[in-house]
Amino acid sequence: MSSFVPSITLNDSTPIPQLGLGLWKIDPADCETVIRTAIDAGYRHFDCAAIYKNEEAVGAALRAAIAAGDVDRDEIFVVSKVWNNQQGFEETGEAFNQSLTRLGLDYLDMYMVHWPCADKGTYQSTFEAIAQLQGLGRVQTVGVCNFYEETLDSIIADTGITPAINQIELHPGLSQQQLVDYHHHHGIVTECWSPLGQGEILGHPVLGEIAEEHGVTPAQVALRWSLQHDRIVIPRSRTPERIRENIDVFSFELTEEELDRITAMDQADGAGRVGLDPREFS
Ligand SMILES: NC(=O)c1ccc[n+]([C@@H]2O[C@H](COP(=O)([O-])OP(=O)(O)OC[C@H]3O[C@@H](n4cnc5c(N)ncnc54)[C@H](OP(=O)(O)O)[C@@H]3O)[C@@H](O)[C@H]2O)c1
């Protein structure tokens, strides 16, 4: 069963569903219900990471869905990320194998550097290892998370490879326009983590007014804003109704004026950040 979620074609020609399911903080005990609900609702993209400590349960749920005939392996896009304490060329290869084993899969669709942690000085060799995994056919596409201009410049210069995706905190409270412009210039697709601002932005009156206008929810408006800017979104929910609500965002369209009003929610100097600042986190 294919899904109605549109795909974006990355700089290495890999297609990726524009909306996926975030899996941070999803308790292993809830993974079966969450993932089966998501697959039924049309999700085909699953954003995991070693540090989420749920790869076994995520993999078991995905494999159960495949065994049940709900979905084929080649219809789903499975992502994991190397955690900071396994950075380095050799270590990343080992981390990748461990994630693959925990997930019980033969390959990953995308493997990512989770944070640059620039002061460690190992994000370049970490990225190089992921690029080698792509060359070996063990991963379809290569991505990074939380990279900023200097760290992107550095990996592109070192390896000659431009990551297909940079996954960054991005929602109406934190637009990151300068970094997004850099992505456009280099052909990197922007993927939004915390696209709902971890729920903190959903009470904003602008989202409420626009939601009422369209007969949808503030969460759906926030997701639509990112989608209409051609970004990837990976909202997380453990609540079945919200899992369905968050993918039900392809039957309405925001006007240019509405998009601009939402963009104006951006808070100066990164004050709208709900997560860690990549320039400081190590
Ligand atoms: N690369 C990175 O460094 C990084 C960092 C952070 C996140 N991520 C990825 O991005 C994903 C999403 O970000 P996130 O988990 O930080 O936050 P998020 O998706 O912005 O927000 C999740 C929160 O919003 C609530 N929620 C979900 N749908 C809702 C709806 N329709 N209405 C009202 N509330 C709703 C959820 O509650 P319930 O679960 O109770 O429904 C949960 O508390 C993560 O799961 C992870 O995969 C990556």
Side-chain angles (χ1 to χ4, degrees):
M1 182 183 75
S2 63
S3 169
F4 51 85
V5 174
S7 283
I8 288 187
T9 302
L10 302 174
N11 63 9
D12 56 7
S13 303
T14 304
I16 179 172
Q18 199 185 355
L19 184 145
L21 183 71
L23 290 162
W24 182 38
K25 291 189 177 174
I26 301 294
D27 192 289
D30 295 332
C31 281
E32 172 77 14
T33 305
V34 164
I35 286 178
R36 295 302 279 275
T37 302
I39 288 175
D40 280 352
Y43 290 76
R44 294 292 179 270
H45 168 178
F46 300 91
D47 186 75
C48 207
I51 195 66
Y52 300 168
K53 308 249 182 261
N54 55 12
E55 286 177 311
E56 284 99 341
V58 167
L62 290 173
R63 284 181 283 107
I66 293 168
D70 293 352
V71 79
D72 290 335
R73 171 65 185 97
D74 62 7
E75 288 176 315
I76 56 173
F77 195 97
V78 185
V79 180
S80 194
K81 315 182 188 97
V82 53
W83 187 239
N84 306 343
N85 65 356
Q86 289 190 291
Q87 281 201 0
F89 192 86
E90 299 296 330
E91 294 87 341
T92 298
E94 282 165 30
F96 176 81
N97 286 333
Q98 289 162 1
S99 278
L100 214 55
T101 301
R102 285 192 291 263
L103 285 159
L105 299 174
D106 298 332
Y107 68 93
L108 284 185
D109 296 275
M110 178 160 67
Y111 198 49
M112 310 182 95
V113 186
H114 206 145
W115 291 85
C117 304
D119 62 345
K120 287 193 208 291
T122 46
Y123 67 83
Q124 296 93 337
S125 55
T126 303
F127 182 72
E128 212 181 320
I130 296 177
Q132 191 192 60
L133 289 167
Q134 184 185 31
L136 295 170
R138 305 195 66 205
V139 61
Q140 304 291 319
T141 194
V142 293
V144 294
C145 307
N146 301 303
F147 275 49
Y148 40 93
E149 291 84 342
E150 302 90 293
T151 51
L152 288 166
D153 280 343
S154 167
I155 52 170
I156 294 168
D158 273 16
T159 63
I161 297 170
T162 302
I165 286 185
N166 189 18
Q167 185 187 109
I168 56 171
E169 180 182 342
L170 203 159
H171 47 75
L174 185 75
S175 287
Q176 304 238 44
Q177 195 55 53
Q178 198 177 315
L179 184 52
V180 168
D181 289 344
Y182 177 104
H183 292 169
H184 280 153
H185 184 70
H186 288 84
I188 299 169
V189 170
T190 303
E191 178 168 23
C192 311
W193 61 254
S194 296
L196 305 173
Q198 297 180 4
E200 288 184 24
I201 58 166
L202 301 180
H204 195 289
V206 166
L207 294 182
E209 286 159 24
I210 296 173
E212 209 176 314
E213 197 66 34
H214 288 272
V216 298
T217 67
Q220 290 172 314
V221 171
L223 294 173
R224 193 69 214 166
W225 174 78
S226 287
L227 292 169
Q228 284 187 225
H229 284 103
D230 299 324
R231 298 168 193 154
I232 297 170
V233 290
I234 44 169
R236 178 236 325 169
S237 178
R238 62 191 165 132
T239 316
E241 303 75 50
R242 288 175 170 176
I243 293 171
R244 289 188 279 270
E245 175 186 320
N246 293 344
I247 200 173
D248 185 14
V249 288
F250 297 99
S251 56
F252 72 101
E253 194 157 342
L254 302 174
T255 64
E256 286 300 322
E257 187 263 341
E258 289 169 336
L259 291 171
D260 290 346
R261 281 169 66 204
I262 299 167
T263 302
M265 285 171 55
D266 184 42
Q267 294 187 41
D269 303 322
R273 201 179 278 287
V274 297
L276 298 163
D277 184 341
R279 289 178 188 271
E280 289 164 12
F281 181 56
S282 175

